[in-house]
Amino acid sequence: MKQFLLFSPIITFLFSTFCDAQTQTEKIDTEFFIPIEKTNLYTRVVGNPGKPVIITLHGGPGAFNVDHEFYRNVFEKDYLMVYFDQRGSGKSDEFKDQTMITTDQFVKDLDLVVEYVKAKYPNKRINLLGSSWGGMYGYLYLIKHQEKINSFISNSATANLRHSSLALIDHEKKLAKKLIKYTKDATKITRYKKILQKLDVIEKSGFKSFFADLHTIRYEFPKDLDFDVYWAQPEKKSKIDDLLKDPDFYARNNYTPELLEKVMKKFEYVNEVFHGQKAYNNLDILDKIAAIKTPILVIQGEFDYAIGVESGKMIYKALKNIPKKNKELVYIKNASHNLPTEEPEQLYKSLTTFFKKHN
């Protein structure tokens, strides 16, 4: 009897330890809202609760977070993924107060998200993964709160929005001049000359009312100039179209076609508010990111005209206080702004290698 009593606590301890370990490796998938100033942010947490955290920052501004679709088979076994919709976006509360749709407010919002996640899932490393606008968002956050973040991946991002716009204008001017030189069709030549005139007007405008102009240079002129700002392999656009017709896509992301239509309207509103701000359209934080010491991977497509093909190099060079062993620059061949669709294997290899190294 004494022997049994002696072993009983040991068995209990071993059993409880086994149960705890089993619980820690079981995948979780939960949804909730994070209360922040005057609104609530929809959040979905998926993955391994025993592993480091990766908070994803979606694009836009004003888009919505369905990154689970792209990272579910990449990270959710080895990390705890936090997908949240930014202020006024996606499944987060609708938000119309334009005075709080600013970069400063969004940084405050993200800090509340980070603190909420730290409290809910304590003693874990917090990593950030930002795509497009989400990359700029990550840099803005690190400038103020880098001590809270273990590592950061900047995917298809710029740190100088003015440069990105001017680089696109410059690219389109070169294309138009080249087409004028080699085209014999008088109607087309007239069109190219009008494009050049309009590009000059936009460039000299100081980006005061840039929302409509942005649409012109990113969507209208590229059709005439025979290139795509966002795609190096436009034939792969069909993958997105097919995805949006797939019922399983909606089931995996807890969406419906009707809900997607609603969040697209919210996307348009938030995006237009940001691009209605001269300060946003001219945002340049290249000098400020020099203060960052957090490990960073800078990655982009070699033909990404949405941010400017030199953006990655400019960012990498500006990150002066990060030791070379802790910063990386990767350009994905034959790809533009939609890396998960155009070159997923190259992208995921770089992302997983970097996070594994720093976690």
Side-chain angles (χ1 to χ4, degrees), residues 96-202:
K96 296 288 187 177
D97 183 353
Q98 296 187 14
T99 64
M100 297 183 72
I101 300 179
T102 64
T103 55
D104 286 344
Q105 183 60 54
F106 271 48
V107 169
K108 293 177 184 177
D109 293 349
L110 180 53
D111 196 42
L112 291 171
V113 171
V114 169
E115 290 300 324
Y116 189 96
V117 170
K118 285 172 64 178
K120 190 173 180 67
Y121 306 100
N123 304 317
K124 298 192 185 304
R125 292 175 177 174
I126 307 289
N127 304 274
L128 297 180
L129 169 51
S131 299
S132 192
W133 146 251
M136 168 72 88
Y137 193 9
Y139 289 121
L140 287 166
Y141 184 76
L142 289 176
I143 289 167
K144 291 193 174 183
H145 303 290
Q146 63 174 309
E147 73 283 354
K148 299 181 181 182
I149 302 302
N150 179 62
S151 69
F152 172 49
I153 291 180
S154 160
N155 172 26
S156 304
T158 179
N160 185 341
L161 283 170
R162 180 176 174 81
H163 165 81
S164 297
S165 300
L166 291 174
L168 178 55
I169 289 172
D170 183 61
H171 178 66
E172 292 185 344
K173 282 185 175 182
K174 288 177 180 177
L175 286 177
K177 290 175 181 177
K178 183 177 179 180
L179 288 167
I180 288 172
K181 186 176 181 180
Y182 293 103
T183 301
K184 294 182 180 180
D185 187 321
T187 302
K188 288 184 177 180
I189 290 174
T190 299
R191 174 58 177 160
Y192 300 144
K193 288 181 178 178
K194 286 184 178 179
I195 287 175
L196 284 171
Q197 290 172 356
K198 180 63 175 176
L199 289 172
D200 278 335
V201 171
I202 294 173

Side-chain angles (χ1 to χ4, degrees), residues 214-226:
L214 191 70
H215 185 274
T216 300
I217 64 174
R218 289 191 176 183
Y219 300 102
E220 183 182 334
F221 288 171
K223 292 178 183 178
D224 294 299
L225 300 173
D226 195 27

Side-chain angles (χ1 to χ4, degrees), residues 98-348:
Q98 296 187 14
T99 64
M100 297 183 72
I101 300 179
T102 64
T103 55
D104 286 344
Q105 183 60 54
F106 271 48
V107 169
K108 293 177 184 177
D109 293 349
L110 180 53
D111 196 42
L112 291 171
V113 171
V114 169
E115 290 300 324
Y116 189 96
V117 170
K118 285 172 64 178
K120 190 173 180 67
Y121 306 100
N123 304 317
K124 298 192 185 304
R125 292 175 177 174
I126 307 289
N127 304 274
L128 297 180
L129 169 51
S131 299
S132 192
W133 146 251
M136 168 72 88
Y137 193 9
Y139 289 121
L140 287 166
Y141 184 76
L142 289 176
I143 289 167
K144 291 193 174 183
H145 303 290
Q146 63 174 309
E147 73 283 354
K148 299 181 181 182
I149 302 302
N150 179 62
S151 69
F152 172 49
I153 291 180
S154 160
N155 172 26
S156 304
T158 179
N160 185 341
L161 283 170
R162 180 176 174 81
H163 165 81
S164 297
S165 300
L166 291 174
L168 178 55
I169 289 172
D170 183 61
H171 178 66
E172 292 185 344
K173 282 185 175 182
K174 288 177 180 177
L175 286 177
K177 290 175 181 177
K178 183 177 179 180
L179 288 167
I180 288 172
K181 186 176 181 180
Y182 293 103
T183 301
K184 294 182 180 180
D185 187 321
T187 302
K188 288 184 177 180
I189 290 174
T190 299
R191 174 58 177 160
Y192 300 144
K193 288 181 178 178
K194 286 184 178 179
I195 287 175
L196 284 171
Q197 290 172 356
K198 180 63 175 176
L199 289 172
D200 278 335
V201 171
I202 294 173
E203 184 175 12
K204 294 172 183 177
S205 70
F207 307 112
K208 293 177 182 177
S209 56
F210 197 55
F211 185 72
D213 292 335
L214 191 70
H215 185 274
T216 300
I217 64 174
R218 289 191 176 183
Y219 300 102
E220 183 182 334
F221 288 171
K223 292 178 183 178
D224 294 299
L225 300 173
D226 195 27
F227 84 107
D228 196 304
V229 172
Y230 296 93
W231 296 86
Q233 303 175 55
E235 69 276 6
K236 291 188 177 180
K237 287 182 183 180
S238 59
K239 289 185 177 182
I240 301 297
D241 295 333
D242 292 342
L243 198 63
L244 296 177
K245 296 174 185 175
D246 184 359
D248 289 340
F249 163 78
Y250 293 98
R252 287 192 297 267
N253 293 284
N254 301 331
Y255 261 86
T256 64
E258 294 75 20
L259 178 58
L260 188 60
E261 187 175 341
K262 289 181 180 179
V263 302
M264 284 302 295
K265 291 180 181 178
K266 294 165 76 173
F267 177 8
E268 291 172 6
Y269 178 79
V270 173
N271 194 261
E272 187 166 357
V273 171
F274 267 103
H275 284 291
Q277 303 167 16
K278 183 180 178 181
Y280 176 77
N281 294 324
N282 290 277
L283 189 60
D284 177 4
I285 57 172
L286 278 174
D287 289 341
K288 293 182 179 179
I289 66 174
I292 297 173
K293 299 179 181 180
T294 304
I296 292 179
L297 165 63
V298 180
I299 187 167
Q300 76 167 78
E302 65 171 334
F303 300 119
D304 191 345
Y305 297 109
I307 59 172
V309 295
E310 296 295 316
S311 283
K313 296 174 184 177
M314 291 167 64
I315 291 170
Y316 183 83
K317 184 178 179 180
L319 294 169
K320 299 176 182 178
N321 279 311
I322 303 177
K324 286 190 176 181
K325 65 177 183 178
N326 288 338
K327 68 174 180 177
E328 299 175 33
L329 172 63
V330 175
Y331 272 80
I332 302 294
K333 298 290 185 181
N334 196 28
S336 182
H337 203 64
N338 292 280
L339 296 180
T341 306
E342 290 192 308
E343 293 295 337
E345 291 185 8
Q346 291 185 63
L347 172 67
Y348 296 148

Side-chain angles (χ1 to χ4, degrees), residues 54 71 73-79 81 129 351-352 355:
I54 299 175
Y71 299 135
N73 296 323
V74 181
F75 288 127
E76 290 177 7
K77 179 182 177 182
D78 299 313
Y79 298 90
M81 301 298 294
L129 169 51
L351 302 190
T352 53
F355 275 144

